[in-house]
Amino acid sequence: MNTLELRHLLPGLALIGLMFAPFAEARVYCCKDARGQQVCGDVLPESCADRSYRELNKQGATVKQVDAPISAEQRAKRDAAAQRASDEDRARQEQRRRDATLLNTYSSERDIDMARKRRVTDIEELLVQLRDQQQTLRQRHVSLEADAARFAGRPVPPGIKDRLDTNAQDMRLLADNIAAKERDLVETQQRFQEDLARFRQLAGQN
């Protein structure tokens, strides 16, 4: 065969190659159906749609394994497990951060106890001031109520009524503030106790 003849044959050979290319890449899809029977097809069988399946080449070798799609319940369990793992990792990181802060802030148990006493003293002194203010407001309220009582059977002057309302509101706000500081005192005591216990643990590990 001369060069001229070969040149004319090449396009035809290329076309034949393109025609048979899909067959060279043919795949077979197999899975086990609901009865456990092997089901295969050159397109994915309908019974394999919700199951794991294998993709085989023309030699019968598995070239791809596809897992079954997960159900909504399985997806929810997977997401919940991932969220738990994320929360636990975040908690570990936060604990490491708090441990580092604790060791960088205090060099001994005595330092922690002194800091606790300072903080507790500050809160207790503030509570004394707030309770003094509360007593003053209560006394003022008694006086304003006595003023209002003098107008029994008659309209209470707007000035007295306004002062009564304002004083009552101040008493409510102050009571809320005192309650918040009392909670702060308890939480501060508890926090320092936890810091002290953790400091002892960390010191024992070193």
Side-chain angles (χ1 to χ4, degrees):
M1 181 180 296
N2 58 37
T3 303
L4 181 60
E5 291 174 334
L6 181 59
R7 188 182 301 118
H8 286 298
L9 283 173
L10 285 176
L13 291 172
L15 180 60
I16 292 172
L18 290 173
M19 292 173 60
F20 283 92
F23 297 97
E25 299 297 328
R27 292 285 187 267
V28 175
Y29 305 91
C30 295
C31 76
K32 289 186 178 181
D33 63 14
R35 296 174 299 174
Q37 301 296 318
Q38 181 91 333
V39 179
C40 296
D42 54 359
V43 295
L44 187 66
E46 184 177 349
S47 56
C48 297
D50 59 349
R51 299 179 177 275
S52 62
Y53 65 88
R54 295 178 298 134
E55 186 177 329
L56 289 69
N57 60 19
K58 64 179 182 179
Q59 286 79 31
T62 299
V63 295
K64 187 177 182 181
Q65 178 74 43
V66 179
D67 293 333
I70 62 176
S71 66
E73 181 180 359
Q74 291 171 323
R75 186 179 298 107
K77 289 181 179 179
R78 181 197 63 189
D79 293 346
Q83 184 62 50
R84 282 195 302 271
S86 177
D87 292 343
E88 290 170 359
D89 182 62
R90 190 180 302 109
R92 285 191 295 269
Q93 293 181 16
E94 176 62 18
Q95 187 61 58
R96 285 194 293 268
R97 184 194 65 78
R98 292 185 62 185
D99 289 347
T101 300
L102 189 63
L103 293 175
N104 290 332
T105 303
Y106 306 108
S107 58
S108 67
E109 294 181 19
R110 182 173 178 273
D111 289 344
I112 297 176
D113 191 52
M114 291 177 62
R116 179 191 62 79
K117 289 179 179 178
R118 287 195 299 269
R119 178 58 182 157
V120 166
T121 298
D122 289 343
I123 298 174
E124 288 176 340
E125 289 178 351
L126 180 57
L127 277 169
V128 169
Q129 297 174 15
L130 293 175
R131 286 166 180 155
D132 286 344
Q133 295 176 23
Q134 187 179 50
Q135 183 61 27
T136 299
L137 289 176
R138 286 172 176 167
Q139 292 173 353
R140 183 183 302 165
H141 201 75
V142 170
S143 177
L144 288 170
E145 284 183 327
D147 289 343
R150 290 189 289 108
F151 296 91
R154 293 175 293 165
V156 177
I160 295 177
K161 186 176 184 307
D162 289 344
R163 287 196 297 274
L164 265 172
D165 292 343
T166 300
N167 196 74
Q169 183 178 7
D170 290 344
M171 289 175 63
R172 286 192 297 270
L173 292 174
L174 190 57
D176 290 343
N177 197 2
I178 290 173
K181 290 303 176 184
E182 289 173 341
R183 289 193 300 270
D184 188 18
L185 180 61
V186 173
E187 291 168 0
T188 296
Q189 294 275 28
Q190 181 179 353
R191 184 170 63 253
F192 274 101
Q193 288 176 357
E194 292 171 353
D195 285 348
L196 181 59
R198 183 59 179 169
F199 185 88
R200 288 170 176 166
Q201 289 179 353
L202 295 173
Q205 295 171 5
N206 296 332

